Every structure is written in structure tokens, then in C-alpha cells.
Amino acid sequence: MLERTPVIAESLAGKRIAITGSTGFVGTALVERLLRSVPDCELVLLIRDGKRTKGPERLRREILKNDCFDVLRRQLGGAVPFEEVTTRRIKTIAGDVSADGLGLSAADGAILASCDVVIHSAAAVAFDSPLDSAIEINLLGPTRVAQALQGLGVAPHLVAVSTCYVAGNRRGNAPEELVSAGPFDLGLDWRKEVAGARRLRSDLDAKSREPEALRRFRHEARTELGAAGTPALASKTEQLRTRWVHDELVEAGRARAASLGWPDAYAYTKALGEQALTESKGNVPVSIVRPSIIESAYAEPRPGWIRGFRMAEPVILSYARGLLKEFPGVPEGTVDVIPVDLVVASIIAVAAVGPDRAPAISQVASGSRNPLKYRTMIDCIRDYFTEHPLYDAEGSPILVPEWTFPGRGRVQAQLERAKSIMTRTEKLLQALPLRGKQAEWTAKLEDKKTEVERALEYVELYGLYTECEAIYSVDNLMSVWDMLDADDQAAFCFDPAIVDWTTYITETHLPSVVEHGRAKSTPGKSNIEARPQRLRKQVLSEERHVAAFDLENTLIASNVVDSYSWLATRRLPTEDKIRYVLQTLKEAPSLLSLDRKDRSDFLRHFYRRYEDAPVAQIETDVQELFTKLILTKSFPAGIRRVREHRALGHKTILITGALSFVVEPLRPLFDEIVASSMTIKANGRYSGELSEVPPTGETRAQVLADYCSSLGLRLDQSIAYADSTSDLPMLEAVGFPVAVNPETRLAAIARKRGWLVENWSKSPGGPRPLLPVAATRSKAGAV
């Protein structure tokens, strides 16, 4: 029997402890527990600088603002300010475990070397990380940390956090020993795996730049964005290229891991990371801690505390919302789950007992000591959501299904079929000229498709874990437990046997999941107007600077074809009007196609029809055009919105591809109008040619930027109203984009990005001809 002595507080008090991965779930819990429970230890947090945020600011925003520190704040009670304690006891150093030398400066390297203990918890924890990223962080990260600590007289004790799933897809006992050459002793060389992953990244990047691939990405970009302009299409094309490389690397990680007997790239790279660390540690004493599936806290800092969604939460909520009818798994199998506070306590205990007494590897798992059966977990979840259902947007309770236990292949096949049907339907709807509320059908369909894709992803990522039949030994972990006295065991409990799974799942974990996921857990209709009202309030704030408006389908239900048709038929006899209407309707598909490809090209092409139109006649007719067509097709809510902006002191600007003489009567509404203009020939007739680039696509964004700059106003405090993806550059340029009566593509984009959507309509009772034509006044002088 080992002698039990007080270990933890005494051993770590006054010590300098470095932590990597402190912005993550386990890392944040470690920082909180050490500050609260180990007096006067000093923490050194290695934090990677963000693009805009340095390490100290990330500490404040991403770690110390977390509600897990509320317990410490209450303990301090105001006698010592929380900020004073954290400033005195926490130091940040800028570093990156994916960079050689950890990216440390000489000064920060010296600080790290001065530590007594280094806890390495940084990891690419996503089960679908790209292979190269997982290799750099999970495989090489621990080795880089050890190398940074080598060559010292007395090297710090390195406690490396790994995972039980390094054991791979085995059945039966999984002991606490090094998996040195793959789960089935395949003789793997981690150096060759690193070289292969890096080479694959380079090869895929080169392949993504081949002409055929770039043409495909360009086509996909145009399909998604339509005539959004060259800059937007170029940006989307590059985004699709980099996403393709990313997705190929994710698939490569899955395939490589599966071929070697691991469930995913995370477990595969973690296993090889242990091998690399063991071979490369030099004089650095190393202890490895392997948790199983880490979930919400059992007790510390409070029951149910969680940060970010772990593995089970998305699946649980999808089931509770009725989105996931089935999920693969073995009902009599063991789901190895461990609360985060037990993991944190075990890491601290291993650090405290020191490298001479701590085991080389300790597994923190429940399966061998206090198993949770898959059927028990599912029954608890079903019973909980039967008694405490979630509610849909209409306020009706969502009935959870009886969850069967099918094979992974069957569930995947069902979801793949649903995804395929939705994809075909989505393409069909996008081809139709829908807009406004009708276009929302496509956006809602896309939401449903995303739900199916997410469910499919869960099955692909997590299915293997629910089917895993490995039982992880915790003999080494319990040997550390036996070194502790009763006080330490009470203060830093990590014995998996303490958890009553039914109580933990139904009274601690599931309520936390519902709260954390912001799921609707009360009856009554959702206030679906809450978000639009909030966004509308932001748009109509006095703080805004400029309100920019498109015209067609944004302020009026008309377009350049309608305006031309009215003017062109103004003086035609009835029989000629009929011929004109029939001919224009015949041309409509080709005109629509050209407009969708490039708005500027369409305008140049269509405006050629004004060639030789008499300027004087147009100036006379346009006044009646305004009253007979523009006003009758205007959206009263849109006109009111312009006036609201003016009343608030905002500058208003109309940016339209319509011809200047058509929109001139609207000038009293706006501080500025930018429209297409046409050159005039010496004989007083229009040339049919534009005098400058029409304000469409990216040109609109530049016009608005120049306007704001000329007045000393800010784009990020401005609003833009538009209806089409061709207006994306302008919508994306401002701080407050508004999609008005959006066509299908823009409706989907606006929904995805959380933009305000307005559906404005004409006054009821107005004429609705297929093509507006003017009443006949004379038989002479047609345009």
C-alpha cells in the first residue's frame, strides 16, 4: 500500500507552470483550477497571436471572460480585485506549436525554460482537421515543446495531453502503454508520415491551380453569385480553390487514418505524436495523460460547465430537434465519456506527483471502472427530451423518435439520398426568376440541406466512436489516486467511479447542452420578428452615415426594359404596339441570360436601342413616364425608408444602371444620384452609347466608397439596399447591408450571413401587364 501524503497544493505552490492550449476547453479549465486551487503558483500561457489580437488581449477576451472564473471572483469577494490577481499570477508569451522553435522570441524562450512544469494541451481537436494541420499541431507539436525545453540543467516536467483513442479501432482491453507503431504494430515511421503529408499538401495546391480546376471553381462561383462583378467572382473562385484543397486534405486524413486502424486523423496524429515525443524528448521528463471523450463538468467549477460544443452535443441537439432520426452504434457497447473536471484534476495530480513518481502514461477514462452503455445513454437522452421537449418556431413540442441502432452504412445512405434530392430541387429553384418571399423558399431549402449535411457529417465523424469496443485501462491513473491523501482526493477528484451516469446525464449534462446550444425549451411561438426588428433598429440609428439605394426591384417594381418599352410605344399605333410586345417577349430569355452573365454588358447592349431617339421628345415624355410608370410601380415602404434616412440626417444616394433622364424626377428624394448617361449626337439625338462605365457590380461599391470619402464619412457606418447578387460588392462594402425583395441567390446569401431582409411591395390595385406600354397619343415620332 502506497503511503498517502498531501501532494498537490504543497508540490505546486509557488511553482511556475506553463500551459499551451489555454484558449481551449481543457486549457481554460486548467487555468481556472490552478488559479483557484493551487495558491501562489504562477502561470505562463503560450498563446498564438491572432491577426488583429495579441496574446494578452486574447487572454482577457477568450479566457478570463469565461464564466468558469465566476467561482474565483466570488472567492475573492472584492477583497482583492480579480484583475490584480490575474495580472500578478499570469504571464503570456507569444508562440505557436505548429511553428518550429514554437515561434518564440529569445526572451519568451527563456521564460518558458524557467518553468517547473509545462502542460501541453494545445491540439487540433476537430475530428475533421486537414491532414497537414493535424500533422503539424498534433504530431509535431509535443516534440517542438520538448525540443524547446532541452539542454537545460534541470528540464521542466512536461505533461502532454493526448487521447485514449490512440489505441485505434480495437476491441477489448487497451492498456496504458505506448502505441509505438500503429494500433496493430504496422511499423510506422512518423517522419515518413510527416513528409508524406507535407508533400500531399504541395501536390494538392498545385493541382488546384491547373486550368481545368480553375475553370471549374470559376463556374461554381458564377453559379453561386451570378453577375456579382469580377472582384467578387475572383474572391469567390479563390475561396472555392482553397476550400477544395482543405476538403481534400480532410478526406486524405480520414482515409490514411482508416487505412491504419484509427477512427480519424485526430487519433492517428495524436498516436504518432506520442511516438515522436518519446523518441525526441532528450533529457526532458515526460508524462502522457490520455482522456477519452471529454464532456461537461461533473462538479468543478460548476456542474455542467462546458466551453464550445464537444463531440456529443451536436448529435444530442439534432436528435432533440427531430433532425436526426437514427444514429449508428452498438447498444450493448460502452461509450467512454469523462467529465472535464476529472481530466483537469488528473493532469494537475500527475504534474504534482512529479516525473519520478508519475506513470509514463495515464488514461483518464470510465469504461473499465464505471462503464456507460450506449443504450443507457440513449434511453436517458430520450427520456429527458420526452419530459423536457424542445419546441419548434410555432411553439409546438418536438416529439423525439425511438432511436434504433442501425449500421453506419444504412444511415449514411439515407442521408445521402436526402441530400441529393435537395441539391436537385435547389438547382431547379435557382433557375426560376423568383424573388422576395418566394425566393425565401430556396433559402429555407438550403437551411434544410445544411441540416442534412451536418447530420451526415456527424455520422461520418462520430459513428466510429459509438461503435468502438475498446476498454481503456486506468490502472496507472488509479495508482496516482492512491498516492493522494483524503483531502487531495476530495479537492482534486478524478476517480471515474464517482459518476452516477443517469444523474449526470439528465440533471447536469443535458440541461447544460440545451442552455449552451440556445435551444428553444419553452412553449409559445418564437418571436421571428425579433431579429429583423433589431437589425432594422441598427439600420435606422442616428449613428449611421450614408444610405445607398439601388432602384430596380429595390424601390420600384420596374426595370430598364419596362422604361424603354413605355417610351418606345408612346407614339405607336395599336397594331405596332402588339408587334413590339410580342417581339420583346420573344427576346426575353436571351436578355435575361445576358443580364445574369454581366449586368454592364446587358445595359450596353440594350441601350443601343435608344440610338437616334430625339432628346427633346424624351425629355417631354419622361415626365409622364415618371407619373404613369415609375410612381405606379414604386414601393411605398421603400420611399418611406429613404425619407426616414433623410429625417435622421443620413446622406442618401441612388446608384442605378437606369438612364439619368429616367431617374431625374427622383432627385428631390436623394442627396446624390449616380446613373448611366448616354452621349448625344450633334443632331440632338441620342447615340445609343454610354458616356462612361455604367454603375453596376463593383463599380457601385467604388462609387459609394468615393462618395463617403469625399464627405469624410465611413463605409462601415453606412447602409446599402439592393436586390441582386450583382450588387454584392456594394452590399459587402458597407457595415449594414439590406437585401430588398432578393432574388434566390441573394436570399440564400442574406439568410446565411444574417443580413436584414425587407420584402416591399407595390400599392394594391395597380396595373400588372407583362410589358408596360404607353397609351397612344400620336402616330408620329416613335423612339
Side-chain angles (χ1 to χ4, degrees):
M1 180 80 176
L2 289 171
E3 180 183 356
R4 296 187 176 189
T5 57
V7 171
I8 294 175
E10 289 80 353
S11 296
L12 296 179
K15 295 291 181 68
R16 177 175 274 191
I17 303 171
I19 301 174
T20 70
S22 57
T23 58
F25 181 37
V26 172
T28 297
L30 273 167
V31 172
E32 188 278 336
R33 196 69 188 280
L34 287 167
L35 284 178
R36 179 165 54 89
S37 302
V38 179
D40 298 324
C41 69
E42 180 186 350
L43 302 183
V44 175
L45 308 184
L46 187 146
I47 301 178
R48 178 173 50 83
D49 286 340
K51 290 182 179 179
R52 297 184 180 88
T53 311
K54 299 295 183 183
E57 184 63 15
R58 291 191 68 194
L59 166 66
R60 187 180 69 82
R61 289 186 182 182
E62 299 178 36
I63 302 175
L64 298 180
K65 275 195 171 183
N66 191 279
D67 63 356
C68 70
F69 292 94
D70 291 348
V71 178
L72 177 57
R73 287 186 172 92
R74 288 195 296 271
Q75 281 187 358
L76 294 173
V80 181
F82 176 76
E83 291 73 18
E84 180 182 316
V85 172
T86 56
T87 300
R88 175 170 52 86
R89 295 183 60 190
I90 299 177
K91 183 184 295 293
T92 64
I93 58 176
D96 183 353
V97 299
S98 67
D100 289 338
L102 301 180
L104 294 171
S105 66
D108 285 345
I111 293 173
L112 181 66
S114 70
C115 293
D116 302 288
V117 177
V118 176
I119 300 174
H120 175 56
S121 68
V125 296
F127 297 113
D128 59 345
S129 293
L131 177 60
D132 63 325
S133 175
I135 287 282
E136 296 296 335
I137 297 172
N138 297 340
L139 196 162
L140 293 174
T143 295
R144 291 188 177 111
V145 174
Q147 289 172 342
L149 303 176
Q150 289 173 5
L152 305 175
V154 179
H157 179 197
L158 174 57
V159 181
V161 182
S162 184
T163 175
C164 284
Y165 290 93
V166 298
N169 298 324
R170 69 172 67 195
R171 290 186 171 92
N173 183 50
E176 294 160 292
E177 60 186 31
L178 186 67
V179 183
S180 60
F184 308 108
D185 196 17
L186 302 175
L188 293 180
D189 184 334
W190 63 268
R191 293 176 182 83
K192 291 182 179 179
E193 297 299 307
V194 171
R198 288 174 171 172
R199 186 168 56 251
L200 177 63
R201 169 76 198 210
S202 178
D203 291 346
L204 287 171
D205 189 76
K207 188 175 180 181
S208 73
R209 298 172 189 273
E210 292 176 356
E212 184 178 347
L214 293 174
R215 282 192 291 270
R216 184 175 73 251
F217 300 139
R218 179 76 172 179
H219 175 73
E220 291 173 5
R222 184 173 289 280
T223 299
E224 182 173 342
L225 299 184
T230 301
L233 288 172
S235 176
K236 187 64 181 181
T237 300
E238 179 61 10
Q239 183 186 82
L240 290 170
R241 187 192 70 80
T242 55
R243 185 191 300 168
W244 179 84
V245 173
H246 173 278
D247 292 346
E248 288 295 306
L249 286 166
V250 168
E251 184 56 37
R254 290 178 184 171
R256 183 58 176 158
S259 72
L260 298 170
W262 278 291
D264 52 38
Y266 173 68
Y268 154 66
T269 52
K270 276 291 192 179
L272 293 181
E274 288 187 11
Q275 181 191 131
L277 176 60
T278 303
E279 292 182 16
S280 309
K281 65 183 180 180
N283 68 327
V284 178
V286 172
S287 301
I288 296 173
V289 177
R290 293 176 179 165
S292 57
I293 299 170
I294 308 174
E295 290 295 347
S296 66
Y298 177 76
E300 300 282 350
R302 62 173 173 79
W305 177 80
I306 196 168
R307 176 168 189 176
F309 266 11
R310 316 319 307 160
M311 188 181 100
E313 286 72 49
V315 178
I316 290 170
L317 285 178
S318 292
Y319 169 74
R321 288 170 171 149
L323 305 177
L324 203 56
K325 310 296 184 184
E326 295 181 314
F327 200 79
V330 179
E332 62 269 39
T334 297
V335 180
D336 209 307
V337 172
I338 197 76
V340 64
D341 46 337
L342 274 64
V343 176
V344 166
S346 65
I347 293 170
I348 293 173
V350 167
V353 301
D356 295 333
R357 300 177 69 196
I361 298 174
S362 301
Q363 293 182 159
V364 192
S366 59
S368 61
R369 185 162 174 80
N370 182 18
L372 168 62
K373 297 300 181 181
Y374 189 50
R375 181 178 290 280
T376 300
M377 182 184 75
I378 295 302
D379 288 346
C380 286
I381 295 171
R382 184 195 62 240
D383 292 347
Y384 179 85
F385 286 110
T386 299
E387 185 177 353
H388 309 282
L390 299 185
Y391 293 82
D392 61 22
E394 298 300 315
S396 301
I398 300 171
L399 302 180
V400 292
E402 282 287 335
W403 207 340
T404 58
F405 301 91
R408 203 154 29 92
R410 175 180 142 188
V411 179
Q412 283 182 248
Q414 290 174 347
L415 292 171
E416 289 283 6
R417 282 196 298 272
K419 177 183 174 182
S420 176
I421 292 171
M422 289 182 178
T423 299
R424 291 197 298 270
T425 306
E426 185 179 42
K427 287 182 178 179
L428 174 62
L429 289 175
Q430 284 184 345
L432 298 176
L434 305 176
R435 64 173 54 251
K437 291 185 177 180
Q438 292 176 328
E440 288 182 6
W441 299 340
T442 303
K444 290 177 180 178
L445 179 65
E446 185 172 345
D447 285 349
K448 290 294 183 184
K449 180 185 169 186
T450 299
E451 290 171 358
V452 169
E453 288 173 338
R454 193 177 297 126
L456 181 59
E457 183 180 2
Y458 296 156
V459 171
E460 292 173 344
L461 291 179
Y462 306 144
L464 280 170
Y465 284 87
T466 61
E467 294 174 345
C468 180
E469 296 184 73
I471 303 298
Y472 305 107
S473 168
V474 292
D475 294 342
N476 289 351
L477 178 75
M478 298 314 297
S479 73
V480 176
W481 177 258
D482 289 336
M483 298 178 195
L484 309 181
D485 72 352
D487 290 341
D488 272 344
Q489 289 181 348
F492 295 91
C493 181
F494 53 83
D495 183 358
I498 67 165
V499 182
D500 179 293
W501 288 116
T502 299
T503 302
Y504 168 76
I505 292 170
T506 58
E507 297 182 14
T508 300
H509 187 62
L510 292 179
S512 176
V513 168
V514 171
E515 179 185 5
H516 196 69
R518 298 179 179 178
K520 181 172 170 51
S521 57
T522 55
K525 282 191 176 184
S526 297
N527 186 3
I528 57 175
E529 292 301 317
R531 181 175 177 81
Q533 287 173 357
R534 186 169 64 253
L535 293 173
R536 204 170 286 122
K537 186 176 179 181
Q538 293 174 0
V539 162
L540 293 173
S541 166
E542 290 182 354
E543 298 175 0
R544 304 291 85 82
H545 290 182
V546 176
F549 289 84
D550 176 32
L551 179 65
E552 298 171 0
N553 296 307
T554 301
L555 293 176
I556 62 171
S558 183
N559 54 52
V560 299
V561 177
D562 289 350
S563 300
Y564 175 81
S565 297
W566 195 95
L567 292 169
T569 60
R570 182 75 180 83
R571 291 171 169 78
L572 289 180
T574 301
E575 58 273 19
D576 288 344
K577 285 183 180 179
I578 294 172
R579 278 194 290 271
Y580 172 85
V581 170
L582 292 175
Q583 178 61 29
T584 304
L585 291 176
K586 181 180 178 182
E587 293 179 79
S590 61
L591 291 174
L592 180 62
S593 176
L594 180 58
D595 189 21
R596 285 181 170 180
K597 288 178 182 177
D598 191 293
R599 180 68 173 170
S600 294
D601 287 349
F602 163 75
L603 292 178
R604 289 191 181 96
H605 167 78
F606 190 80
Y607 286 157
R608 296 283 189 271
R609 301 177 185 218
Y610 280 94
E611 185 177 0
D612 286 329
V615 173
Q617 179 183 307
I618 291 290
E619 288 176 348
T620 300
D621 290 349
V622 82
Q623 297 301 321
E624 194 170 351
L625 168 73
F626 179 70
T627 57
K628 296 290 182 67
L629 179 68
I630 304 298
L631 284 183
T632 60
K633 290 204 166 193
S634 67
F635 302 139
I639 303 302
R640 282 196 300 271
R641 182 62 57 84
V642 179
R643 289 174 174 152
E644 284 180 284
H645 282 296
R646 299 202 73 175
L648 288 165
H650 305 160
K651 292 293 184 180
T652 56
I653 178 172
L654 176 67
I655 308 176
T656 175
L659 288 165
S660 56
F661 56 74
V662 172
V663 299
E664 184 61 28
L666 291 169
R667 189 165 292 280
L669 275 176
F670 297 94
D671 294 293
E672 184 73 29
I673 292 180
V674 178
S676 299
S677 57
M678 192 175 292
T679 57
I680 300 173
K681 296 190 289 189
N683 61 0
R685 291 177 178 268
Y686 284 112
S687 66
E689 297 177 0
L690 298 180
S691 59
E692 55 190 16
V693 176
T696 62
E698 64 272 21
T699 306
R700 292 191 180 187
Q702 189 60 55
V703 166
L704 181 56
D706 292 344
Y707 180 71
C708 288
S709 178
S710 69
L711 298 175
L713 302 176
R714 289 169 49 184
L715 269 174
D716 64 348
Q717 286 296 327
S718 298
I719 313 107
Y721 294 83
D723 70 295
S724 168
T725 53
S726 64
D727 302 306
L728 264 182
M730 181 173 73
L731 291 168
E732 293 176 332
V734 299
F736 300 88
V738 182
V740 180
N741 303 330
E743 43 82 39
T744 52
R745 292 188 183 99
L746 184 61
I749 292 169
R751 190 180 183 91
K752 190 178 297 182
R753 299 186 186 182
W755 292 352
L756 176 62
V757 175
E758 299 283 19
N759 291 304
W760 294 337
S761 59
K762 297 186 300 180
S763 296
R768 298 176 181 271
L770 280 176
L771 197 66
V773 292
T776 302
R777 290 289 185 88
S778 169
K779 295 186 178 181
V783 171

